[in-house]
Amino acid sequence: NPTTAAPSIAPTYVACDSTDAMNVVFLMDESGSVDSTEWDVILGFVKRIVTFDVSPESYVALYEYAALAAFQELLEFTGPMSTEQSVVIDELDSNNYTPAGQTETWDAVNRVLDDIHLYKTNDNCNGNGDECWNRNDILFLITDGEPTGTDVCGDMATRMAQSDVDIVIVLIDPNGDIDETKVSCLDVVDGGLDVIRLDSFEGDAFTEIEGRIRSKICDDDNPISTGPQPQFNPWQYCDDEGNCSIGLGPIPTQGGGGQGGAADP
């Protein structure tokens, strides 16, 4: 597919100049129900958030997902935005649309959470040593469908209750038929208050919610903290017999149903 720049949506805010310093992740749903025009709108919206709403001292990572094999890290944590914003914008502008089947939300969100853990522990901030553990984490999940495969609101509610990662779920639901209780558990800490519904892919719909997103990342409530690198315990994936492992393993080479087991008791 040819490369197409993500369309611009008219800005409603000036560029953020707050003191927030965060690790900001965008996980975007590119499943079969999203066509190429809609995908460009999603990319354009994320591009605008990065341009106007992410604070200068924050770092950004980008992911896309659909079927199991379609999960991809588009850009590892990159920052600060004061100097590296163009790298994120270039990645969004160069992204190609690829229809990829199902909506494997359980697998994708868990992989992103595992990556955040590695980034702040074993990977030592992608080798940069910039004390990334002193920045708060926020994950924006942008999806237009109910999860397929493994039930999200099973063990993930337990994981999110123990996680320091704040999740905001943007549900694009033109037909009004998505059951948000199938993903609202991801926002268990905030009681589902950060589940944002949109009734269309139109630019105006995204404009209306930008203020809610900006309030999470550009409000001077998340300055960099100080302190030594803490010891984070990795999440364990366990089957019904109690056999546990760390991580989900390589990304599958084929699509299909869910993957993984129950939470570590």
Side-chain angles (χ1 to χ4, degrees):
N1 293 325
T3 297
T4 302
S8 298
I9 301 174
T12 54
Y13 296 94
V14 298
C16 176
D17 63 356
S18 73
T19 59
D20 300 286
M22 305 184 71
N23 299 315
V24 183
V25 184
F26 295 95
L27 174 59
M28 301 172 288
D29 174 3
E30 196 185 16
S31 58
S33 56
V34 177
D35 64 29
S36 60
T37 300
E38 293 166 342
W39 180 243
D40 285 343
V41 172
I42 291 174
L43 293 175
F45 180 60
V46 173
K47 179 179 175 179
R48 186 173 74 174
I49 294 172
V50 171
T51 302
F52 293 99
D53 304 318
V54 178
S55 58
E57 294 308 307
S58 289
Y59 286 59
V60 170
L62 303 172
Y63 293 82
E64 65 183 18
Y65 81 105
L68 293 176
F71 176 82
Q72 184 178 1
E73 180 188 60
L74 302 173
L75 184 70
E76 66 180 15
F77 278 108
T78 299
M81 289 300 96
S82 58
T83 59
E84 302 301 317
Q85 183 187 86
S86 62
V87 177
V88 183
I89 300 303
D90 288 347
E91 178 59 41
L92 290 166
D93 281 342
S94 64
N95 185 277
N96 291 323
Y97 170 73
T98 306
Q102 297 179 320
T103 309
E104 296 284 352
T105 305
W106 182 92
D107 185 88
V109 173
N110 272 303
R111 288 185 184 277
V112 171
L113 293 175
D114 289 346
D115 278 1
I116 293 172
H117 173 267
L118 287 172
Y119 172 60
K120 300 177 81 168
T121 54
N122 295 355
D123 288 349
N124 192 26
C125 310
N126 291 334
N128 295 325
D130 59 11
E131 298 189 356
C132 57
W133 55 85
N134 285 323
R135 297 190 294 268
N136 289 341
D137 309 308
I138 188 165
L139 165 59
F140 291 99
L141 169 63
I142 305 173
T143 180
D144 82 324
E146 294 180 1
T148 52
T150 303
D151 178 21
V152 170
C153 288
D155 61 331
M156 286 221 69
T158 302
R159 180 171 193 177
M160 294 317 305
Q162 300 174 19
S163 175
D164 292 329
V165 179
D166 189 9
I167 293 191
V168 176
I169 304 129
V170 179
L171 288 179
I172 308 167
D173 187 16
N175 299 318
D177 55 8
I178 296 178
D179 180 1
E180 70 177 54
T181 64
K182 294 185 177 180
V183 292
S184 59
C185 62
L186 295 173
D187 187 38
V188 63
V189 173
D190 294 318
L193 293 177
D194 286 337
V195 178
I196 304 173
R197 297 185 75 103
L198 293 178
D199 59 9
S200 80
F201 277 92
E202 299 299 324
D204 288 346
F206 284 94
T207 299
E208 292 174 2
I209 70 167
E210 185 177 0
R212 292 180 64 181
I213 290 175
R214 186 180 176 94
S215 70
K216 302 289 292 187
I217 55 179
C218 180
D219 62 357
D220 291 314
D221 281 346
N222 294 280
I224 191 103
S225 60
T226 58
Q229 185 173 21
Q231 296 300 310
F232 298 102
N233 293 320
W235 185 254
Q236 296 192 48
Y237 298 90
C238 303
D239 59 26
D240 292 337
E241 284 73 44
N243 301 308
C244 301
S245 62
I246 295 172
L248 291 172
I251 297 170
T253 57
Q254 300 181 25
Q259 175 182 339
D264 186 33

